[in-house]
Amino acid sequence: MIKAGIIGGAGYTAGELIRLLINHPDVELVFVNSSSNAGNKITCVHAGLYGETEMYFTSELPLNEINILFFCTAHGDTRKFLETNAIPEHLKIIDLSQDFRIKANENKFIYGLPELNRRAICKARFVANPGCFATCIQLALLPLAKHLILNKEIHINAITGSTGAGVKPSETSHFSWRNNNISIYKPFEHQHLAEIYQSLVQLQNSYNADIAFIPMRGDFSRGIFATVYLDCKIELDEIRKLYEKYYDDHSFTFIIDENPDLKQVVNTNKCLLHLEKHGNKLLIISIIDNLLKGASGQAVHNMNLMFNLEETVGLHLKSTAF
């Protein structure tokens, strides 16, 4: 039995992670740390877990009692914690913040996109979980990079649900502003661009063109719908074969014929990809649930790989059809 702990238990991704871990057949969730909620029942914050757990948040950190530690902390806090606390040598870590996603000499973390780094994740002690936009967009592009097809600018429009902004209320996450509304933010400058570039260059070292990324805020709670297009003269049938071969042995990414809609992936750990050709333009539609495939579901996928479990264990989740 894998014994797990969570630091930063009050946010949306933590709520999803708690739900997945308490229902995982091979995991015992030992503690959920939250300094602001210590002593309160987890269901006081994550009301959707009523009837599933009687656990309380704690301010304690019994690191010697667990095998794996998940960080659902604000960006910057994981790095600070690791710099100021002794980490038991046996303890594995999955960080859901952006602190260790970009490679550096002192960075021992493996970038945790299973469709890119599965073998390395299986042997890893420390894993940096990818960003939600980055996951959705990379899955749309990895087969092209693998076959050195990316040679010109890539154009991306992607819209995300309000949970992507985190649980803390802000001017652009309040219901009265977000409902029946849409807006862009951080055009061409989103922080996930760095990890997208990093992964594309890992597969296609020669790639150095621009990525024109326009992120958008949607008036729905969860999910990411990304449209990616670029110049490509290769016929659609050949492109589809490349995608099918690349994802043939991956359990959560599927190439589909139909033009997809977001409800097909909400509440699942799936990524659905749809390919079209319009003249010399290749259009790729990529959709995921930002809290699952884009965060907590991917973290559990990584945990399964790190402990040599079948990678889909605990992740047979069903979409919201209506």
Side-chain angles (χ1 to χ4, degrees):
M1 187 69 72
I2 300 167
K3 295 188 176 182
I6 298 173
I7 295 180
Y12 291 131
T13 56
E16 285 296 299
L17 183 58
I18 294 166
R19 177 172 68 91
L20 293 172
L21 294 179
I22 62 177
N23 288 290
H24 194 294
D26 296 306
V27 173
E28 176 190 347
L29 182 58
V30 175
F31 71 86
V32 180
N33 176 280
S34 173
S35 56
S36 61
N37 290 283
N40 296 328
K41 272 193 169 184
I42 285 175
T43 49
C44 290
V45 174
H46 303 297
L49 295 176
Y50 276 113
E52 296 186 54
T53 182
E54 296 295 323
M55 291 182 67
Y56 287 77
F57 290 108
T58 180
S59 60
E60 301 298 316
L61 290 168
L63 300 183
N64 286 311
E65 298 179 16
I66 59 173
N67 309 111
I68 188 164
L69 179 64
F70 294 87
F71 283 90
C72 296
T73 46
H75 301 311
D77 287 353
T78 304
R79 186 181 295 274
K80 292 176 184 176
F81 184 93
L82 296 181
E83 289 174 350
T84 56
N85 289 271
I87 305 301
E89 291 186 4
H90 74 278
L91 187 62
K92 297 184 180 183
I93 290 173
I94 296 178
D95 179 26
L96 281 80
S97 80
Q98 67 181 21
D99 289 12
F100 298 100
R101 292 173 185 164
I102 304 304
K103 292 180 182 178
N105 290 335
E106 72 282 1
N107 182 353
K108 297 179 181 179
F109 281 73
I110 297 297
Y111 186 67
L113 187 65
E115 292 82 359
L116 177 67
N117 290 326
R118 182 162 56 189
R119 289 184 180 179
I121 294 166
C122 290
K123 300 176 182 178
R125 181 184 172 199
F126 300 141
V127 167
N129 223 55
C132 52
F133 269 136
T135 296
C136 191
I137 293 166
Q138 288 174 91
L139 293 176
L141 293 170
L142 292 181
L144 301 178
K146 174 72 173 178
H147 292 275
L148 312 181
I149 295 172
L150 299 177
N151 298 305
K152 296 184 179 180
E153 186 174 48
I154 300 168
H155 301 267
I156 304 165
N157 292 286
I159 186 166
T160 186
S162 57
T163 53
V167 71
K168 187 176 181 180
S170 67
E171 180 181 349
T172 57
S173 64
H174 282 289
F175 176 81
S176 56
W177 186 91
R178 195 99 179 198
N179 186 48
N180 296 323
N181 204 2
I182 189 171
S183 64
I184 69 168
Y185 69 109
K186 298 181 182 178
F188 308 109
E189 298 176 350
H190 196 277
Q191 65 271 17
H192 290 181
L193 277 169
E195 51 188 293
I196 295 169
Y197 272 110
Q198 176 177 263
S199 295
L200 295 183
V201 171
Q202 179 179 330
L203 291 178
Q204 182 177 335
N205 189 57
S206 63
Y207 184 72
N208 61 2
D210 289 337
I211 298 176
F213 175 31
I214 307 296
M216 292 178 282
R217 305 179 184 95
D219 67 342
F220 49 91
S221 295
R222 57 197 296 167
I224 293 177
F225 193 106
T227 55
V228 181
Y229 65 94
L230 62 150
D231 291 335
C232 180
K233 295 182 179 181
I234 303 172
E235 295 296 324
L236 181 59
D237 288 346
E238 292 302 313
I239 292 292
R240 185 184 176 96
K241 288 177 183 177
L242 298 181
Y243 275 75
E244 289 176 342
K245 183 177 180 180
Y246 188 97
Y247 291 116
D248 179 60
D249 63 343
H250 291 283
S251 301
F252 296 108
T253 301
F254 304 92
I255 293 80
I256 63 172
D257 293 325
E258 300 80 13
N259 195 333
D261 61 79
L262 201 55
K263 284 187 177 180
Q264 291 172 269
V265 297
V266 169
N267 293 321
T268 81
N269 199 52
K270 298 175 187 175
C271 173
L272 298 185
L273 298 173
H274 174 67
L275 308 170
E276 296 182 6
K277 280 296 296 292
H278 298 268
N280 284 332
K281 298 291 185 186
L282 172 63
L283 171 67
I284 309 128
I285 299 173
S286 178
I287 57 173
I288 66 170
D289 184 312
N290 60 295
L291 293 179
L292 288 168
K293 183 60 175 166
S296 302
Q298 186 153 234
V300 171
H301 186 179
N302 282 322
M303 178 198 70
N304 287 342
L305 294 173
M306 294 166 78
F307 286 90
N308 198 32
L309 299 177
E310 202 283 318
E311 64 181 356
T312 66
V313 174
L315 291 170
H316 293 288
L317 309 169
K318 295 182 179 180
S319 63
T320 304
F322 301 102

PDB file of all heavy atoms in Angstrom, residues 220-249:
ATOM      1  N   PHE A 220     -17.178  28.837 -17.978  1.00  0.00           N
ATOM      2  CA  PHE A 220     -17.516  27.511 -17.461  1.00  0.00           C
ATOM      3  C   PHE A 220     -16.513  27.161 -16.367  1.00  0.00           C
ATOM      4  O   PHE A 220     -15.479  27.826 -16.226  1.00  0.00           O
ATOM      5  CB  PHE A 220     -17.492  26.473 -18.582  1.00  0.00           C
ATOM      6  CG  PHE A 220     -16.260  26.513 -19.443  1.00  0.00           C
ATOM      7  CD1 PHE A 220     -15.147  25.737 -19.145  1.00  0.00           C
ATOM      8  CD2 PHE A 220     -16.192  27.346 -20.553  1.00  0.00           C
ATOM      9  CE1 PHE A 220     -14.010  25.786 -19.917  1.00  0.00           C
ATOM     10  CE2 PHE A 220     -15.050  27.400 -21.345  1.00  0.00           C
ATOM     11  CZ  PHE A 220     -13.958  26.613 -21.027  1.00  0.00           C
ATOM     12  N   SER A 221     -16.795  26.122 -15.602  1.00  0.00           N
ATOM     13  CA  SER A 221     -15.990  25.830 -14.417  1.00  0.00           C
ATOM     14  C   SER A 221     -14.691  25.096 -14.732  1.00  0.00           C
ATOM     15  O   SER A 221     -13.644  25.428 -14.171  1.00  0.00           O
ATOM     16  CB  SER A 221     -16.798  25.003 -13.415  1.00  0.00           C
ATOM     17  OG  SER A 221     -17.883  25.738 -12.925  1.00  0.00           O
ATOM     18  N   ARG A 222     -14.761  24.083 -15.599  1.00  0.00           N
ATOM     19  CA  ARG A 222     -13.570  23.263 -15.782  1.00  0.00           C
ATOM     20  C   ARG A 222     -13.460  22.779 -17.224  1.00  0.00           C
ATOM     21  O   ARG A 222     -14.450  22.567 -17.909  1.00  0.00           O
ATOM     22  CB  ARG A 222     -13.558  22.085 -14.811  1.00  0.00           C
ATOM     23  CG  ARG A 222     -14.763  21.176 -14.899  1.00  0.00           C
ATOM     24  CD  ARG A 222     -14.876  20.298 -13.668  1.00  0.00           C
ATOM     25  NE  ARG A 222     -13.769  19.372 -13.518  1.00  0.00           N
ATOM     26  CZ  ARG A 222     -13.518  18.673 -12.403  1.00  0.00           C
ATOM     27  NH1 ARG A 222     -14.271  18.830 -11.330  1.00  0.00           N
ATOM     28  NH2 ARG A 222     -12.512  17.833 -12.343  1.00  0.00           N
ATOM     29  N   GLY A 223     -12.206  22.569 -17.639  1.00  0.00           N
ATOM     30  CA  GLY A 223     -11.917  22.100 -18.982  1.00  0.00           C
ATOM     31  C   GLY A 223     -11.062  23.099 -19.745  1.00  0.00           C
ATOM     32  O   GLY A 223     -11.026  24.292 -19.425  1.00  0.00           O
ATOM     33  N   ILE A 224     -10.339  22.576 -20.736  1.00  0.00           N
ATOM     34  CA  ILE A 224      -9.572  23.410 -21.668  1.00  0.00           C
ATOM     35  C   ILE A 224      -9.892  22.947 -23.080  1.00  0.00           C
ATOM     36  O   ILE A 224      -9.855  21.749 -23.378  1.00  0.00           O
ATOM     37  CB  ILE A 224      -8.060  23.314 -21.423  1.00  0.00           C
ATOM     38  CG1 ILE A 224      -7.684  23.921 -20.066  1.00  0.00           C
ATOM     39  CG2 ILE A 224      -7.275  24.016 -22.543  1.00  0.00           C
ATOM     40  CD1 ILE A 224      -6.222  23.791 -19.720  1.00  0.00           C
ATOM     41  N   PHE A 225     -10.192  23.901 -23.938  1.00  0.00           N
ATOM     42  CA  PHE A 225     -10.462  23.634 -25.352  1.00  0.00           C
ATOM     43  C   PHE A 225      -9.433  24.431 -26.151  1.00  0.00           C
ATOM     44  O   PHE A 225      -9.455  25.655 -26.156  1.00  0.00           O
ATOM     45  CB  PHE A 225     -11.877  24.077 -25.722  1.00  0.00           C
ATOM     46  CG  PHE A 225     -12.356  23.568 -27.053  1.00  0.00           C
ATOM     47  CD1 PHE A 225     -13.295  22.553 -27.129  1.00  0.00           C
ATOM     48  CD2 PHE A 225     -11.870  24.104 -28.245  1.00  0.00           C
ATOM     49  CE1 PHE A 225     -13.752  22.092 -28.358  1.00  0.00           C
ATOM     50  CE2 PHE A 225     -12.316  23.649 -29.470  1.00  0.00           C
ATOM     51  CZ  PHE A 225     -13.255  22.634 -29.531  1.00  0.00           C
ATOM     52  N   ALA A 226      -8.497  23.728 -26.790  1.00  0.00           N
ATOM     53  CA  ALA A 226      -7.406  24.381 -27.521  1.00  0.00           C
ATOM     54  C   ALA A 226      -7.523  24.093 -29.014  1.00  0.00           C
ATOM     55  O   ALA A 226      -7.748  22.948 -29.416  1.00  0.00           O
ATOM     56  CB  ALA A 226      -6.053  23.898 -27.003  1.00  0.00           C
ATOM     57  N   THR A 227      -7.370  25.130 -29.821  1.00  0.00           N
ATOM     58  CA  THR A 227      -7.272  24.971 -31.269  1.00  0.00           C
ATOM     59  C   THR A 227      -5.876  25.410 -31.689  1.00  0.00           C
ATOM     60  O   THR A 227      -5.427  26.503 -31.370  1.00  0.00           O
ATOM     61  CB  THR A 227      -8.328  25.800 -32.010  1.00  0.00           C
ATOM     62  OG1 THR A 227      -8.231  27.173 -31.607  1.00  0.00           O
ATOM     63  CG2 THR A 227      -9.722  25.292 -31.694  1.00  0.00           C
ATOM     64  N   VAL A 228      -5.180  24.510 -32.360  1.00  0.00           N
ATOM     65  CA  VAL A 228      -3.797  24.727 -32.782  1.00  0.00           C
ATOM     66  C   VAL A 228      -3.748  24.607 -34.301  1.00  0.00           C
ATOM     67  O   VAL A 228      -4.297  23.653 -34.862  1.00  0.00           O
ATOM     68  CB  VAL A 228      -2.865  23.670 -32.143  1.00  0.00           C
ATOM     69  CG1 VAL A 228      -1.418  23.901 -32.563  1.00  0.00           C
ATOM     70  CG2 VAL A 228      -3.007  23.675 -30.628  1.00  0.00           C
ATOM     71  N   TYR A 229      -3.124  25.563 -34.978  1.00  0.00           N
ATOM     72  CA  TYR A 229      -2.997  25.422 -36.426  1.00  0.00           C
ATOM     73  C   TYR A 229      -1.628  25.907 -36.896  1.00  0.00           C
ATOM     74  O   TYR A 229      -1.006  26.781 -36.286  1.00  0.00           O
ATOM     75  CB  TYR A 229      -4.136  26.125 -37.167  1.00  0.00           C
ATOM     76  CG  TYR A 229      -4.187  27.628 -37.041  1.00  0.00           C
ATOM     77  CD1 TYR A 229      -3.592  28.461 -37.994  1.00  0.00           C
ATOM     78  CD2 TYR A 229      -4.871  28.235 -35.986  1.00  0.00           C
ATOM     79  CE1 TYR A 229      -3.661  29.834 -37.887  1.00  0.00           C
ATOM     80  CE2 TYR A 229      -4.943  29.606 -35.871  1.00  0.00           C
ATOM     81  CZ  TYR A 229      -4.342  30.409 -36.832  1.00  0.00           C
ATOM     82  OH  TYR A 229      -4.409  31.775 -36.717  1.00  0.00           O
ATOM     83  N   LEU A 230      -1.171  25.301 -37.997  1.00  0.00           N
ATOM     84  CA  LEU A 230       0.149  25.588 -38.536  1.00  0.00           C
ATOM     85  C   LEU A 230       0.208  25.153 -39.993  1.00  0.00           C
ATOM     86  O   LEU A 230      -0.632  24.379 -40.455  1.00  0.00           O
ATOM     87  CB  LEU A 230       1.237  24.864 -37.734  1.00  0.00           C
ATOM     88  CG  LEU A 230       1.176  23.328 -37.737  1.00  0.00           C
ATOM     89  CD1 LEU A 230       2.573  22.756 -37.597  1.00  0.00           C
ATOM     90  CD2 LEU A 230       0.305  22.815 -36.587  1.00  0.00           C
ATOM     91  N   ASP A 231       1.197  25.655 -40.696  1.00  0.00           N
ATOM     92  CA  ASP A 231       1.415  25.238 -42.084  1.00  0.00           C
ATOM     93  C   ASP A 231       1.941  23.812 -42.123  1.00  0.00           C
ATOM     94  O   ASP A 231       2.884  23.467 -41.402  1.00  0.00           O
ATOM     95  CB  ASP A 231       2.422  26.161 -42.769  1.00  0.00           C
ATOM     96  CG  ASP A 231       1.883  27.560 -42.988  1.00  0.00           C
ATOM     97  OD1 ASP A 231       0.648  27.707 -43.070  1.00  0.00           O
ATOM     98  OD2 ASP A 231       2.687  28.505 -43.082  1.00  0.00           O
ATOM     99  N   CYS A 232       1.345  22.998 -42.966  1.00  0.00           N
ATOM    100  CA  CYS A 232       1.772  21.603 -43.095  1.00  0.00           C
ATOM    101  C   CYS A 232       1.252  21.059 -44.428  1.00  0.00           C
ATOM    102  O   CYS A 232       0.038  21.028 -44.663  1.00  0.00           O
ATOM    103  CB  CYS A 232       1.227  20.773 -41.942  1.00  0.00           C
ATOM    104  SG  CYS A 232       1.685  19.030 -42.000  1.00  0.00           S
ATOM    105  N   LYS A 233       2.157  20.632 -45.298  1.00  0.00           N
ATOM    106  CA  LYS A 233       1.776  20.147 -46.620  1.00  0.00           C
ATOM    107  C   LYS A 233       1.498  18.643 -46.657  1.00  0.00           C
ATOM    108  O   LYS A 233       1.049  18.119 -47.664  1.00  0.00           O
ATOM    109  CB  LYS A 233       2.880  20.492 -47.630  1.00  0.00           C
ATOM    110  CG  LYS A 233       3.060  21.987 -47.848  1.00  0.00           C
ATOM    111  CD  LYS A 233       4.138  22.269 -48.887  1.00  0.00           C
ATOM    112  CE  LYS A 233       4.287  23.775 -49.095  1.00  0.00           C
ATOM    113  NZ  LYS A 233       5.320  24.084 -50.114  1.00  0.00           N
ATOM    114  N   ILE A 234       1.766  17.953 -45.568  1.00  0.00           N
ATOM    115  CA  ILE A 234       1.567  16.497 -45.521  1.00  0.00           C
ATOM    116  C   ILE A 234       0.077  16.188 -45.508  1.00  0.00           C
ATOM    117  O   ILE A 234      -0.713  16.880 -44.848  1.00  0.00           O
ATOM    118  CB  ILE A 234       2.264  15.902 -44.288  1.00  0.00           C
ATOM    119  CG1 ILE A 234       3.755  16.244 -44.297  1.00  0.00           C
ATOM    120  CG2 ILE A 234       2.064  14.389 -44.228  1.00  0.00           C
ATOM    121  CD1 ILE A 234       4.481  15.859 -43.038  1.00  0.00           C
ATOM    122  N   GLU A 235      -0.336  15.142 -46.216  1.00  0.00           N
ATOM    123  CA  GLU A 235      -1.740  14.765 -46.293  1.00  0.00           C
ATOM    124  C   GLU A 235      -2.276  14.332 -44.923  1.00  0.00           C
ATOM    125  O   GLU A 235      -1.543  13.792 -44.094  1.00  0.00           O
ATOM    126  CB  GLU A 235      -1.933  13.629 -47.299  1.00  0.00           C
ATOM    127  CG  GLU A 235      -1.621  14.005 -48.742  1.00  0.00           C
ATOM    128  CD  GLU A 235      -2.561  15.073 -49.271  1.00  0.00           C
ATOM    129  OE1 GLU A 235      -3.759  15.049 -48.897  1.00  0.00           O
ATOM    130  OE2 GLU A 235      -2.100  15.943 -50.037  1.00  0.00           O
ATOM    131  N   LEU A 236      -3.570  14.563 -44.741  1.00  0.00           N
ATOM    132  CA  LEU A 236      -4.199  14.284 -43.450  1.00  0.00           C
ATOM    133  C   LEU A 236      -4.074  12.820 -43.050  1.00  0.00           C
ATOM    134  O   LEU A 236      -3.822  12.508 -41.883  1.00  0.00           O
ATOM    135  CB  LEU A 236      -5.674  14.689 -43.491  1.00  0.00           C
ATOM    136  CG  LEU A 236      -6.464  14.487 -42.192  1.00  0.00           C
ATOM    137  CD1 LEU A 236      -5.851  15.288 -41.047  1.00  0.00           C
ATOM    138  CD2 LEU A 236      -7.936  14.864 -42.395  1.00  0.00           C
ATOM    139  N   ASP A 237      -4.228  11.899 -43.987  1.00  0.00           N
ATOM    140  CA  ASP A 237      -4.125  10.475 -43.661  1.00  0.00           C
ATOM    141  C   ASP A 237      -2.770  10.127 -43.077  1.00  0.00           C
ATOM    142  O   ASP A 237      -2.670   9.329 -42.130  1.00  0.00           O
ATOM    143  CB  ASP A 237      -4.392   9.619 -44.899  1.00  0.00           C
ATOM    144  CG  ASP A 237      -5.856   9.611 -45.310  1.00  0.00           C
ATOM    145  OD1 ASP A 237      -6.694  10.052 -44.492  1.00  0.00           O
ATOM    146  OD2 ASP A 237      -6.150   9.170 -46.432  1.00  0.00           O
ATOM    147  N   GLU A 238      -1.713  10.723 -43.632  1.00  0.00           N
ATOM    148  CA  GLU A 238      -0.366  10.466 -43.126  1.00  0.00           C
ATOM    149  C   GLU A 238      -0.163  11.076 -41.742  1.00  0.00           C
ATOM    150  O   GLU A 238       0.452  10.465 -40.860  1.00  0.00           O
ATOM    151  CB  GLU A 238       0.678  11.010 -44.111  1.00  0.00           C
ATOM    152  CG  GLU A 238       0.725  10.273 -45.431  1.00  0.00           C
ATOM    153  CD  GLU A 238       1.021   8.789 -45.241  1.00  0.00           C
ATOM    154  OE1 GLU A 238       1.964   8.469 -44.484  1.00  0.00           O
ATOM    155  OE2 GLU A 238       0.307   7.965 -45.820  1.00  0.00           O
ATOM    156  N   ILE A 239      -0.689  12.278 -41.553  1.00  0.00           N
ATOM    157  CA  ILE A 239      -0.593  12.923 -40.243  1.00  0.00           C
ATOM    158  C   ILE A 239      -1.320  12.094 -39.190  1.00  0.00           C
ATOM    159  O   ILE A 239      -0.804  11.859 -38.090  1.00  0.00           O
ATOM    160  CB  ILE A 239      -1.182  14.347 -40.291  1.00  0.00           C
ATOM    161  CG1 ILE A 239      -0.305  15.263 -41.159  1.00  0.00           C
ATOM    162  CG2 ILE A 239      -1.334  14.923 -38.892  1.00  0.00           C
ATOM    163  CD1 ILE A 239       1.057  15.551 -40.579  1.00  0.00           C
ATOM    164  N   ARG A 240      -2.503  11.625 -39.529  1.00  0.00           N
ATOM    165  CA  ARG A 240      -3.269  10.827 -38.575  1.00  0.00           C
ATOM    166  C   ARG A 240      -2.518   9.568 -38.180  1.00  0.00           C
ATOM    167  O   ARG A 240      -2.512   9.166 -37.012  1.00  0.00           O
ATOM    168  CB  ARG A 240      -4.639  10.473 -39.151  1.00  0.00           C
ATOM    169  CG  ARG A 240      -5.519   9.746 -38.137  1.00  0.00           C
ATOM    170  CD  ARG A 240      -6.836   9.304 -38.728  1.00  0.00           C
ATOM    171  NE  ARG A 240      -7.588   8.529 -37.746  1.00  0.00           N
ATOM    172  CZ  ARG A 240      -8.525   9.012 -36.950  1.00  0.00           C
ATOM    173  NH1 ARG A 240      -8.844  10.297 -37.020  1.00  0.00           N
ATOM    174  NH2 ARG A 240      -9.149   8.237 -36.085  1.00  0.00           N
ATOM    175  N   LYS A 241      -1.847   8.922 -39.141  1.00  0.00           N
ATOM    176  CA  LYS A 241      -1.073   7.721 -38.837  1.00  0.00           C
ATOM    177  C   LYS A 241       0.041   8.024 -37.841  1.00  0.00           C
ATOM    178  O   LYS A 241       0.324   7.220 -36.943  1.00  0.00           O
ATOM    179  CB  LYS A 241      -0.490   7.131 -40.120  1.00  0.00           C
ATOM    180  CG  LYS A 241      -1.520   6.474 -41.031  1.00  0.00           C
ATOM    181  CD  LYS A 241      -0.871   5.981 -42.310  1.00  0.00           C
ATOM    182  CE  LYS A 241      -1.913   5.392 -43.265  1.00  0.00           C
ATOM    183  NZ  LYS A 241      -1.287   4.969 -44.557  1.00  0.00           N
ATOM    184  N   LEU A 242       0.680   9.184 -37.990  1.00  0.00           N
ATOM    185  CA  LEU A 242       1.739   9.575 -37.053  1.00  0.00           C
ATOM    186  C   LEU A 242       1.187   9.725 -35.639  1.00  0.00           C
ATOM    187  O   LEU A 242       1.817   9.305 -34.659  1.00  0.00           O
ATOM    188  CB  LEU A 242       2.394  10.882 -37.507  1.00  0.00           C
ATOM    189  CG  LEU A 242       3.097  10.891 -38.864  1.00  0.00           C
ATOM    190  CD1 LEU A 242       3.710  12.266 -39.118  1.00  0.00           C
ATOM    191  CD2 LEU A 242       4.160   9.810 -38.943  1.00  0.00           C
ATOM    192  N   TYR A 243       0.016  10.342 -35.531  1.00  0.00           N
ATOM    193  CA  TYR A 243      -0.601  10.540 -34.215  1.00  0.00           C
ATOM    194  C   TYR A 243      -1.041   9.212 -33.611  1.00  0.00           C
ATOM    195  O   TYR A 243      -0.829   8.967 -32.421  1.00  0.00           O
ATOM    196  CB  TYR A 243      -1.803  11.490 -34.339  1.00  0.00           C
ATOM    197  CG  TYR A 243      -1.424  12.946 -34.282  1.00  0.00           C
ATOM    198  CD1 TYR A 243      -0.808  13.577 -35.364  1.00  0.00           C
ATOM    199  CD2 TYR A 243      -1.662  13.713 -33.142  1.00  0.00           C
ATOM    200  CE1 TYR A 243      -0.457  14.915 -35.318  1.00  0.00           C
ATOM    201  CE2 TYR A 243      -1.315  15.053 -33.077  1.00  0.00           C
ATOM    202  CZ  TYR A 243      -0.704  15.650 -34.175  1.00  0.00           C
ATOM    203  OH  TYR A 243      -0.355  16.976 -34.107  1.00  0.00           O
ATOM    204  N   GLU A 244      -1.650   8.368 -34.420  1.00  0.00           N
ATOM    205  CA  GLU A 244      -2.112   7.074 -33.902  1.00  0.00           C
ATOM    206  C   GLU A 244      -0.947   6.216 -33.433  1.00  0.00           C
ATOM    207  O   GLU A 244      -1.036   5.541 -32.399  1.00  0.00           O
ATOM    208  CB  GLU A 244      -2.920   6.359 -34.983  1.00  0.00           C
ATOM    209  CG  GLU A 244      -4.277   7.005 -35.239  1.00  0.00           C
ATOM    210  CD  GLU A 244      -5.024   6.351 -36.385  1.00  0.00           C
ATOM    211  OE1 GLU A 244      -4.369   5.648 -37.198  1.00  0.00           O
ATOM    212  OE2 GLU A 244      -6.251   6.546 -36.482  1.00  0.00           O
ATOM    213  N   LYS A 245       0.150   6.262 -34.168  1.00  0.00           N
ATOM    214  CA  LYS A 245       1.327   5.484 -33.764  1.00  0.00           C
ATOM    215  C   LYS A 245       1.937   6.047 -32.489  1.00  0.00           C
ATOM    216  O   LYS A 245       2.327   5.297 -31.582  1.00  0.00           O
ATOM    217  CB  LYS A 245       2.362   5.474 -34.890  1.00  0.00           C
ATOM    218  CG  LYS A 245       3.584   4.632 -34.571  1.00  0.00           C
ATOM    219  CD  LYS A 245       4.555   4.579 -35.740  1.00  0.00           C
ATOM    220  CE  LYS A 245       5.771   3.721 -35.407  1.00  0.00           C
ATOM    221  NZ  LYS A 245       6.732   3.670 -36.546  1.00  0.00           N
ATOM    222  N   TYR A 246       2.034   7.372 -32.404  1.00  0.00           N
ATOM    223  CA  TYR A 246       2.655   7.994 -31.232  1.00  0.00           C
ATOM    224  C   TYR A 246       1.875   7.654 -29.965  1.00  0.00           C
ATOM    225  O   TYR A 246       2.465   7.347 -28.910  1.00  0.00           O
ATOM    226  CB  TYR A 246       2.723   9.516 -31.408  1.00  0.00           C
ATOM    227  CG  TYR A 246       3.528  10.209 -30.331  1.00  0.00           C
ATOM    228  CD1 TYR A 246       4.870  10.545 -30.549  1.00  0.00           C
ATOM    229  CD2 TYR A 246       2.982  10.515 -29.091  1.00  0.00           C
ATOM    230  CE1 TYR A 246       5.617  11.173 -29.556  1.00  0.00           C
ATOM    231  CE2 TYR A 246       3.719  11.132 -28.097  1.00  0.00           C
ATOM    232  CZ  TYR A 246       5.033  11.453 -28.341  1.00  0.00           C
ATOM    233  OH  TYR A 246       5.775  12.067 -27.349  1.00  0.00           O
ATOM    234  N   TYR A 247       0.543   7.703 -30.042  1.00  0.00           N
ATOM    235  CA  TYR A 247      -0.273   7.513 -28.840  1.00  0.00           C
ATOM    236  C   TYR A 247      -0.824   6.092 -28.699  1.00  0.00           C
ATOM    237  O   TYR A 247      -1.636   5.830 -27.801  1.00  0.00           O
ATOM    238  CB  TYR A 247      -1.423   8.523 -28.840  1.00  0.00           C
ATOM    239  CG  TYR A 247      -0.948   9.944 -28.623  1.00  0.00           C
ATOM    240  CD1 TYR A 247      -1.102  10.924 -29.606  1.00  0.00           C
ATOM    241  CD2 TYR A 247      -0.312  10.310 -27.443  1.00  0.00           C
ATOM    242  CE1 TYR A 247      -0.652  12.211 -29.419  1.00  0.00           C
ATOM    243  CE2 TYR A 247       0.145  11.601 -27.232  1.00  0.00           C
ATOM    244  CZ  TYR A 247      -0.024  12.553 -28.231  1.00  0.00           C
ATOM    245  OH  TYR A 247       0.437  13.827 -28.024  1.00  0.00           O
ATOM    246  N   ASP A 248      -0.353   5.190 -29.530  1.00  0.00           N
ATOM    247  CA  ASP A 248      -0.884   3.829 -29.535  1.00  0.00           C
ATOM    248  C   ASP A 248      -0.749   3.139 -28.186  1.00  0.00           C
ATOM    249  O   ASP A 248      -1.639   2.398 -27.760  1.00  0.00           O
ATOM    250  CB  ASP A 248      -0.180   3.003 -30.622  1.00  0.00           C
ATOM    251  CG  ASP A 248      -0.668   1.567 -30.660  1.00  0.00           C
ATOM    252  OD1 ASP A 248      -1.874   1.380 -30.890  1.00  0.00           O
ATOM    253  OD2 ASP A 248       0.136   0.645 -30.445  1.00  0.00           O
ATOM    254  N   ASP A 249       0.345   3.357 -27.466  1.00  0.00           N
ATOM    255  CA  ASP A 249       0.548   2.678 -26.189  1.00  0.00           C
ATOM    256  C   ASP A 249       0.368   3.620 -24.998  1.00  0.00           C
ATOM    257  O   ASP A 249       0.861   3.359 -23.910  1.00  0.00           O
ATOM    258  CB  ASP A 249       1.923   2.019 -26.144  1.00  0.00           C
ATOM    259  CG  ASP A 249       3.065   3.024 -26.234  1.00  0.00           C
ATOM    260  OD1 ASP A 249       2.818   4.177 -26.652  1.00  0.00           O
ATOM    261  OD2 ASP A 249       4.202   2.662 -25.883  1.00  0.00           O
TER     262      ASP A 249
END
